[in-house]
Amino acid sequence: MTDHHARPRRGSRRSMRWRSRAAVGVVLAALTSTLTVGTSTAQANATDCPPGLHWVYYSWPEWSLRYWAADEYVVNSSQPTFLVAEERSVSNGTDTVATATFTSSVSKTYGLTVTVGVSYTLFQTLTTTVSASITTSTTTTTGVSASASVPPHGRVIGQYGVEAYNVNYTLNSYESYSDTPGENCYHTSSTQGTSVAPTVYTGWRVLPG
């Protein structure tokens, strides 16, 4: 169990918690009274937290404020995509089939992007729910070659890059006002986020021109 005394949690939720509990003695007294009555809105909002959450303990003795907090990432959808580092095209002006050879010459790094939340925590969720091939960072390399047939009077396009996923997810935040994390639990917010998640797979793909 770790106490954090320096400051509230980051982001908008930090500001909301800090301001809403300026008179924390009154708030905690009201919360205790509400939970005792058994017919209040606060009790109606209390719920069982999802299992497996990583709880962090926050304590500010000067405000008599102590609680547990946890975040949950839920993947709503994921679609495969391809991150193009470089692109070439080859045209065949003859009456016979030709062979095109593509060789990479660009080294480019693609990292996991996150619009809401913490990238490493989301990464852990993505590798278990979307694909084990997802990584936090992938770099394309030079000197990788691929060949393709070009039809007579036709054209092909070669793209070198990284296989990836476009992900939509929800960040659910919870707070627990109990000595045991997860008990007397409140769902405080749900925020939508998007991510581009690279995989470990790099290479060429050939498309008709």
Side-chain angles (χ1 to χ4, degrees), residues 39-189:
T39 58
S40 66
T41 302
Q43 187 187 40
N45 290 337
T47 182
D48 292 331
C49 282
L53 295 178
H54 175 68
W55 291 96
V56 178
Y57 185 64
Y58 293 88
S59 175
W60 293 280
E62 64 273 23
W63 294 95
S64 300
L65 177 60
R66 296 175 177 84
Y67 65 95
W68 297 87
D71 290 332
E72 175 194 38
Y73 293 80
V74 178
V75 174
N76 303 317
S77 65
S78 62
Q79 295 293 330
T81 188
F82 192 78
L83 309 177
V84 180
E86 56 184 305
E87 183 176 81
R88 312 276 179 77
S89 66
V90 175
S91 298
N92 180 10
T94 71
D95 295 329
T96 59
V97 175
T99 300
T101 299
F102 305 96
T103 302
S104 63
S105 61
V106 174
S107 178
K108 187 173 182 179
T109 299
Y110 294 93
L112 176 69
T113 64
V114 175
T115 59
V116 174
V118 180
S119 60
Y120 182 72
T121 309
L122 176 62
F123 164 71
Q124 293 177 310
T125 299
L126 296 179
T127 55
T128 57
T129 61
V130 177
S131 173
S133 66
I134 289 175
T135 182
T136 57
S137 178
T138 299
T139 302
T140 61
T141 57
T142 60
V144 179
S145 298
S147 298
S149 297
V150 187
H153 304 286
R155 186 177 76 145
V156 296
I157 297 173
Q159 295 179 333
Y160 183 66
V162 178
E163 294 182 16
Y165 289 90
N166 288 323
V167 179
N168 287 280
Y169 63 93
T170 301
L171 171 58
N172 294 317
S173 297
Y174 299 89
E175 292 180 0
S176 176
Y177 295 87
S178 173
D179 291 336
T180 302
E183 294 181 357
N184 188 18
C185 183
Y186 293 85
H187 180 195
T188 59
S189 66

